[in-house]
Structure formats: C-alpha cells, structure tokens
Amino acid sequence: MWKLCELLLVWASFLAAEVSGADRHSRHDFPSDFVFGAGTSAYQVEGAANEDGRTPSIFDTYAHSGLTHGANGDVACDQYHKYKEDVQLMVETGLEAYRFSISWSRLIPNGRGPVNPKGLQYYNHLIDELISHGVQPHVTLHHADLPQALEDEYGGWINRKIVKDFTVYAEVCFREFGDRIRHWTTFNEANVFVLAGYDSGILPPQRCSFPFGLVNCSQGNSSIEPYLAAHNILLAHASAARTYKNIYQAKNMLTYHIPFRR
Ligand SMILES: *[C@@H]1O[C@H](CO)[C@@H](O)[C@H](O)[C@H]1NC(C)=O
Ligand SMILES: *[C@@H]1O[C@H](CO)[C@@H](O)[C@H](O)[C@H]1NC(C)=O
C-alpha cells in the first residue's frame, strides 16, 4: 500500500500546484465528471510473483539482475493477497477510481496459450471488490512487464510476432473483464518504455549499444531497436483497439450498468 500512498501524495500536490490563486480547494472546483483516483502497475503492487502459476516478466528479470540493489517485486505491497484491505483504504481515502495493470504472465503464463484460472480469479475478485465499493476500475494492459518467455523466444517488442500475441492477450481481457471495465489503456508510457528499454538501456529489457547506452548492455542496438519496438507497440495498440471497437465495445455497452459513487 505504500506505493499507492506515495502516488496519491504526488498526485495531490500536483493538483494543488496546478490550481493557482486559491489556497483552499474542494471537489466543486473541478468539473462534475472529473475523476479523482490513484494508479499502480501490477509489478509495483501485486507481489505473489511466483504463486498460482504466474511466470516471470522482463521486470522480474531486471529486478533480480543485481542492478536494483536488492529491490524487487516478489512481495511488493502484496495486493494479490491484500486487495480487500487496499480497496478499503481507497474508500477511506475517498478515491473515485483506481487504475491498475494486469500482469500478462499471471493471466497467460508464458505469454500465450491457456488462460491461468487463478489469474483470472484474482482480477475478477479485484474488479468486483472495487465495483462493490463504488470505486471505478481502470485497466492498463501493458505496464513494462512483458512475459519473459516471449522476450526469450523472439525478442519481445522488437519482433513483429508480438502484435498477434498482444492482441490475443488483450482479447482475453476484453472478453473476461469487459462487462465491468469501461476504461482501458493499452500501454503505459510507451515512449518511456521504449527509450529506457532500448535506447539508454536503464530499464527492462535493458537493450542498448555504445555510445547511446547509459549502462553497458549485453545486447541491443540503440540506433534501430527503439524504432522497431515503438512501431510494434503502435501496431499492437491499433490491433487491440480495433478488436475492442469491432467486437466488444457495443456488446459491453449493452450490459454495462454500474452506478458509481460521487
Ligand atoms: C562500460 O564499460 C566500460 C569499459 O569496461 C567502462 O569504461 C564504462 O565506465 C562502463 N560504463 C558504465 C556506464 O558502466
Ligand atoms: C545497428 O544496426 C545498424 C543497422 O543494421 C547497423 O548499421 C549498426 O552497425 C548496428 N549497431 C550496432 C552497435 O550493432
């Protein structure tokens, strides 16, 4: 829960700084459809990294490479086990929305193939818990945590094959959770992921080359890979968004009727 609290504080001070000229603010200073919330990523908060069928992502590999001074997400905030307490804290904080990401390698271990029933169950429980407490769920599909298996098999985002695998994963999410999720984000900060992962090499999958790398990467090519990865991410976004609009949006709109707290 600490990370969530930190994020909240940052966000709150951001808001305070942006509304200048007044020293007191209330909800009424914002449009009625403005949503107050907090956001996390799966690897930041879930923990349970090796439980119930989850396999490592590129972030697990990075966090165990010795470069993070021992910090890793094996336990993190343990939201996997403590989601009910976390939702309770969100209610007490007065959050209207919670943005979280789905761990691809928890839902579909190794990136493709059968869906992991335990992963499915966890996200269903989390979403239901949020909704039953009037907290609007917002879902991110990829927050820097590509399944390591796909990185190993064909190079992950630098290979065009990723577009198909991402679309299948996204479709599982739309199909399983779309009756209750109205707000989807395909990629968190695609630009940061690409620059840090393939140009400077400071974040997973830590690919870069001289003289652009800020670390000594064991592989990569900073001149071309950032563009390959960015291109494939754009294609994957387009493919998933089209699938959603063509198949799931209209269907989910019909069944979607959940009143949110205001
Ligand atoms: C990378 O390796 C070279 C040669 O061993 C070394 O001089 C340099 O300091 C290293 N750079 C970083 C960022 O570790
Ligand atoms: C990166 O790829 C380009 C194009 O194939 C090539 O010219 C360049 O030498 C490569 N750089 C490294 C560091 O491998």
Side-chain angles (χ1 to χ4, degrees):
M1 207 53 211
W2 278 112
K3 294 235 171 60
L4 182 54
C5 299
E6 282 166 23
L7 275 171
L8 260 178
L9 285 176
V10 171
W11 203 350
S13 47
F14 229 101
L15 286 173
E18 291 210 339
V19 186
S20 56
D23 46 17
R24 296 188 69 127
H25 310 289
S26 75
R27 222 236 165 274
H28 304 294
D29 296 316
F30 294 83
S32 62
D33 59 354
F34 191 96
V35 177
F36 282 90
T40 61
S41 69
Y43 193 67
Q44 245 179 339
V45 296
E46 282 183 3
N50 306 306
E51 282 179 51
D52 291 346
R54 183 184 181 276
T55 65
S57 74
I58 56 173
F59 226 106
D60 295 70
T61 305
Y62 164 73
H64 285 276
S65 65
L67 292 162
T68 56
H69 308 287
N72 63 62
D74 289 359
V75 178
C77 307
D78 203 17
Q79 188 160 95
Y80 187 75
H81 297 114
K82 295 182 174 163
Y83 66 95
K84 286 188 180 174
E85 283 173 71
D86 284 355
V87 172
Q88 190 54 43
L89 289 167
M90 293 175 209
V91 170
E92 287 166 23
T93 310
L95 297 192
E96 292 165 349
Y98 176 54
R99 175 185 170 221
F100 61 94
S101 76
I102 290 176
S103 162
W104 181 347
S105 61
R106 187 184 297 290
L107 192 63
I108 306 177
N110 298 318
R112 96 162 76 84
V115 173
N116 173 15
K118 292 277 192 183
L120 203 53
Q121 175 179 286
Y122 168 66
Y123 293 111
N124 275 324
H125 283 171
L126 173 62
I127 291 166
D128 290 346
E129 189 74 7
L130 288 164
I131 288 174
S132 70
H133 286 80
V135 181
Q136 199 178 64
H138 291 233
V139 171
T140 305
L141 295 176
H142 185 274
H143 200 130
D145 58 350
L146 183 80
Q148 183 65 43
L150 300 184
E151 185 73 25
D152 294 342
E153 187 183 324
Y154 55 70
W157 288 109
I158 57 173
N159 191 314
R160 186 69 61 92
K161 286 182 183 167
I162 195 69
V163 175
K164 179 159 183 264
D165 285 337
F166 180 77
T167 307
V168 171
Y169 157 60
E171 194 161 0
V172 169
C173 295
F174 299 150
R175 189 179 65 230
E176 298 292 341
F177 311 128
D179 58 331
R180 288 154 293 157
I181 303 294
R182 195 165 41 172
H183 303 278
W184 297 96
T185 299
T186 46
F187 291 91
N188 179 75
E189 295 181 319
N191 58 336
V192 173
F193 177 68
V194 163
L195 288 172
Y198 299 89
D199 184 6
S200 67
I202 57 174
L203 288 176
Q206 288 198 285
R207 298 178 65 89
C208 65
S209 61
F210 184 81
F212 304 103
L214 295 179
V215 291
N216 283 321
C217 296
S218 58
Q219 25 183 8
N221 184 331
S222 299
S223 301
I224 56 169
E225 289 188 357
Y227 302 95
L228 291 173
H231 188 201
N232 290 328
I233 285 174
L234 290 173
L235 294 175
H237 165 83
S239 172
R242 186 180 302 128
T243 300
Y244 183 72
K245 285 176 183 159
N246 288 350
I247 303 175
Y248 296 94
Q249 194 166 30
K251 198 165 82 182
N252 293 339
M253 280 302 179
L254 294 177
T255 55
Y256 193 93
H257 182 68
I258 298 159
F260 287 113
R261 197 160 48 94
R262 265 284 185 262

